[in-house]
Amino acid sequence: MVGGVQVMASAVIQTGTSPSINVIINMHASVDNYCDIEFHSHITPGTTVSGDVALKSRIHVGTGASIIQGVRIEKRSVAGAGAVVIEDMPSETVVFDVPAHPK
């Protein structure tokens, strides 16, 4: 079954951003220019995703997290609530805190 993209109230998606199938961009999330969001990913409420970010498949970005420009988050990873992600994350990584570090 193929799903669409859900963009909730007050979410902002800028030019050149490409969400794939079954992606949720939740309330008050901000996704900047030229981001690539692959399938089955969830951008939760109040999240900020800066420009030129690559979110591979099955990513969860927790409430209020921030991902700075140019970061790449590999598949099946989680950026916990309030995390500030300032560097690339390998597959199957969970990070929290400011700046984000593995749990």
Side-chain angles (χ1 to χ4, degrees):
M1 180 176 179
V2 175
V5 174
Q6 293 184 5
V7 179
M8 303 305 184
S10 300
V12 176
I13 303 171
Q14 297 293 347
T15 304
T17 289
S18 177
S20 187
I21 62 168
N22 200 28
V23 166
I24 300 170
I25 300 175
N26 222 314
M27 298 179 347
H28 305 288
S30 176
V31 182
D32 215 344
N33 297 317
Y34 304 105
C35 292
D36 182 26
I37 306 169
E38 289 189 2
F39 60 92
H40 310 305
S41 293
H42 186 184
I43 310 302
T44 61
T47 298
T48 301
V49 180
S50 296
D52 195 31
V53 168
L55 303 176
K56 302 319 247 177
S57 63
R58 292 176 168 82
I59 300 300
H60 182 86
V61 181
T63 302
S66 297
I67 302 172
I68 67 158
Q69 62 276 5
V71 167
R72 181 180 178 96
I73 299 178
E74 296 296 337
K75 61 186 178 180
R76 293 187 305 273
S77 291
V78 174
V84 177
V85 181
I86 62 172
E87 56 187 39
D88 294 351
M89 291 174 53
S91 294
E92 301 180 10
T93 301
V94 177
V95 299
F96 291 95
D97 221 345
V98 179
H101 56 83
K103 180 179 176 185

